[in-house]
Amino acid sequence: MAASTLTEVARLAGVSPATASRVLNGSARIPGKDIADRVRQAAESLGYIPNAQAQGLAKSSSGLIGLIVHDIADPYFAAIARGVQEAAREQHKMVLLATTEGAPESEKEAVGAFAARRADSIVIAGSRTSRVEDRDGNAELAAELDRYCRNGGHVGVIGHGIVGATAADGYHVVSVPNEELAAQLATELAASREDFVIIGGPEGLLTSDDRIRGFQRGLAVAGLPAADVIRTDFNRAGGFDAGLALAARITASRSGGNAPGLCIFAVNDVMAIGTAAALRSRGLRIPLDAAVAGFDDIETLRDFRPALSTVHLPLEEIGRQAASSAAGMGDGEAGSSPITGQVTLRRSTEVVQPSSAESVA
């Protein structure tokens, strides 16, 4: 059955289409109560569904927030999305979601789609990149966002600002102290261990680079040499591949003595989970044969054994702040509480004796 039109509603109510539109699309210029009631009754009897874009024009607000993430299946982004959704409920808005696998070209397409639907604001979660191969994509994304902001849109970005963006107004960055927290993690781990390796994402991925830089700084403060860095994909599969590469090194270095073994820092929790799975597949025990630490404290870790050492971030609060600041309910910095985190050491990095191996494998 074809949908009823505004013209049909107006004809049944005995008014002009413009008057019917003002009643049904939320204009401030609403006619008298008798006329408004007649229009609404006509719309109800015909099953008329108002056009969301027409309502947005009438109200100067679409009631939509666009959210761009790399992968909604990743618990990190799922937690941020919950925070954005919480802020959207407070604003009486709905969230549109786009997943992009971190490609700037895909992010640019998502921004264009949200702008075409007159989204009131856009939240972008996921590491920015300075890689040479992403240069053109970054430029296109920045141009699309600049255009959106110049037309009155607002953008909340988590972590780092948009590479190459130049619009004077409209950007709100929720900064995360990745480098400082990674340095704290290294300092605390160095109290009981000396041999470290870092599993990071591709060079030029800014969040990964910040965490690597911070961890190396923490080791230096503790008087230890810089750790080797393995570069791989910034996901569980990348962590698994790196874990397989490290397994032979760990097996060869095992002496059966009491000295603590290798300590692996993966720059996010899903990479750490992949690394641990790879080590287990080669018969290695955590933390007896190798210690593993991550970053983010994703919800999945509640079921991970042994409990994973990590850096706790308030992921839902980060998402909420990004959405609220972009909506003008805070500027993302002075108007909101600074984002903080906490080093959380658990069983996966404890120094244990061989007799305890069965309880931690």
Side-chain angles (χ1 to χ4, degrees):
M1 181 181 295
S4 300
T5 67
L6 185 65
T7 299
E8 290 171 336
V9 173
R11 185 182 302 120
L12 181 60
V15 299
S16 70
T19 297
S21 176
R22 283 195 292 271
V23 174
L24 298 175
N25 290 325
S27 172
R29 297 173 55 207
I30 298 177
K33 184 177 185 304
D34 291 345
I35 294 176
D37 288 345
R38 198 162 70 238
V39 170
R40 294 190 182 100
Q41 288 170 6
E44 183 176 353
S45 65
L46 292 173
Y48 174 75
I49 300 174
N51 182 289
Q53 289 184 316
Q55 288 185 325
L57 287 168
K59 299 176 182 177
S60 297
S61 171
S62 66
L64 299 174
I65 297 174
L67 172 60
I68 299 173
V69 301
H70 289 186
D71 180 8
I72 195 60
D74 186 326
Y76 171 88
F77 293 110
I80 287 175
R82 282 199 298 270
V84 172
Q85 181 63 55
E86 178 185 340
R89 280 194 294 267
E90 294 172 357
Q91 301 169 35
H92 305 289
K93 295 181 179 181
M94 299 296 293
V95 177
L96 300 177
L97 174 68
T99 60
T100 64
E101 297 184 353
E105 296 86 353
S106 297
E107 292 176 324
K108 178 255 185 184
E109 291 177 1
V111 170
F114 292 155
R117 288 160 178 79
R118 299 179 58 83
D120 298 327
S121 59
I122 296 173
V123 175
I124 302 179
S127 179
R128 302 297 89 211
T129 171
S130 62
R131 297 184 300 174
V132 172
E133 57 266 38
D134 291 323
R135 181 179 299 159
D136 291 343
N138 279 336
E140 293 175 2
L141 172 62
E144 190 74 34
L145 284 166
D146 284 346
R147 184 161 45 249
Y148 172 72
C149 289
R150 284 195 298 269
N151 281 283
H154 291 269
V155 179
V157 186
I158 294 170
H160 296 84
I162 300 299
V163 176
T166 60
D169 299 310
Y171 288 105
H172 310 265
V173 179
V174 177
S175 299
V176 179
N178 286 303
E179 185 171 339
E180 294 80 358
L181 290 168
Q184 292 176 26
L185 175 63
T187 300
E188 295 199 26
L189 291 174
S192 59
R193 295 181 178 273
E194 297 182 351
D195 189 11
F196 291 89
V197 65
I198 301 171
I199 300 177
E203 190 169 4
L205 203 63
L206 300 186
T207 296
S208 173
D209 289 349
D210 284 351
R211 294 175 180 182
I212 292 171
R213 185 166 50 251
F215 198 85
Q216 298 283 38
R217 177 159 58 86
L219 293 180
V221 169
L224 296 178
D228 291 338
V229 179
I230 298 176
R231 297 281 187 172
T232 184
D233 291 337
F234 197 55
N235 53 30
R236 184 189 183 280
F240 189 88
D241 291 343
L244 291 179
L246 286 171
R249 168 181 166 179
I250 295 168
T251 300
S253 65
R254 280 192 300 182
S255 63
N258 296 328
L262 181 68
C263 185
I264 302 167
F265 168 53
V267 297
N268 66 40
D269 287 339
V270 292
M271 296 178 77
I273 290 171
T275 299
L279 297 181
R280 286 198 180 100
S281 75
R282 295 297 185 264
L284 298 173
R285 296 159 295 178
I286 300 168
L288 180 65
D289 300 317
V292 180
F295 201 113
D296 293 327
D297 203 16
I298 57 177
E299 189 173 359
T300 306
L301 298 188
R302 295 178 183 177
D303 302 316
F304 185 82
R305 295 293 180 272
L308 185 72
S309 292
T310 188
V311 172
H312 173 78
L313 288 178
L315 299 176
E316 291 190 30
E317 173 62 15
I318 289 171
R320 190 196 66 77
Q321 281 201 26
S324 296
S325 63
M329 299 171 66
D331 65 6
E333 294 180 8
S336 303
S337 300
I339 297 300
T340 60
Q342 181 180 358
V343 172
T344 305
L345 298 186
R346 300 184 178 122
R347 186 67 165 162
S348 69
T349 55
E350 286 185 3
V351 177
V352 299
Q353 301 302 320
S355 60
S356 304
E358 292 304 318
S359 65
V360 299

